[in-house]
Amino acid sequence: MNSYSDVEKKLWPKYREEINHSRNTVEVEGVFTMMIADLLSEVLGEKIYSEDILFHPKEECYYRFTEKLLKKENFKTAFESSDLGAIIDRFAHSANSRYVHLSKLPEKTNSKIKRH
């Protein structure tokens, strides 16, 4: 079994900072999809776009991949034979926590945005 924990450790500090500084739920989604695209690009050795990752905070699994990405043989192999799913789950859990927090305070969040 392959491990991509070194890639996770490299990306995690920037991700945490960006998630924590997200001012609204749209920013959370953007940070998550961009970071997972970066993670997958590094793991697969080819450019993966954020449009191929879908954030679903109100579902049991917080993310999905487009059919285009799911059809890539190197993606399937990496996902099935490594800790990649667990790593993405950790990123998704963090994004979902921030999403839930921000969605409970929409008035406060919107007033902060207007002041900046």
Side-chain angles (χ1 to χ4, degrees):
M1 182 169 165
N2 294 324
S3 176
Y4 298 108
S5 60
D6 55 330
V7 179
E8 177 185 19
K9 288 176 186 172
K10 178 178 141 184
L11 297 176
W12 188 257
K14 179 182 177 191
Y15 177 73
R16 288 295 309 156
E17 183 174 332
E18 289 184 21
I19 281 291
N20 288 338
H21 288 98
S22 297
R23 296 179 293 181
N24 58 51
T25 56
V26 173
E27 284 184 14
V28 170
E29 180 178 355
V31 170
F32 174 75
T33 58
M34 284 188 284
M35 193 59 67
I36 298 305
D38 289 349
L39 171 74
L40 293 175
S41 294
E42 192 154 333
V43 166
L44 302 177
E46 67 179 273
K47 181 67 177 160
I48 302 297
Y49 297 95
S50 61
E51 294 83 21
D52 291 320
I53 297 95
L54 309 169
F55 184 56
H56 289 281
K58 295 177 181 164
E59 295 183 17
E60 189 173 326
C61 182
Y62 302 133
Y63 62 92
R64 290 192 186 158
F65 303 109
T66 61
E67 285 298 317
K68 176 183 151 193
L69 185 56
L70 291 171
K71 288 180 180 179
K72 290 181 176 279
E73 201 57 44
N74 59 345
F75 172 77
K76 285 188 226 178
T77 301
F79 201 81
E80 293 170 1
S81 65
S82 72
D83 58 353
L84 189 55
I87 292 168
I88 295 171
D89 285 346
R90 288 190 284 273
F91 279 82
H93 181 74
S94 175
N96 188 66
S97 294
R98 182 69 176 161
Y99 183 95
V100 168
H101 173 75
L102 290 173
S103 66
K104 289 180 180 177
L105 308 166
E107 303 83 24
K108 185 176 178 184
T109 301
N110 289 334
S111 69
K112 283 183 183 178
I113 292 170
K114 289 176 185 172
R115 287 189 300 221
H116 286 97

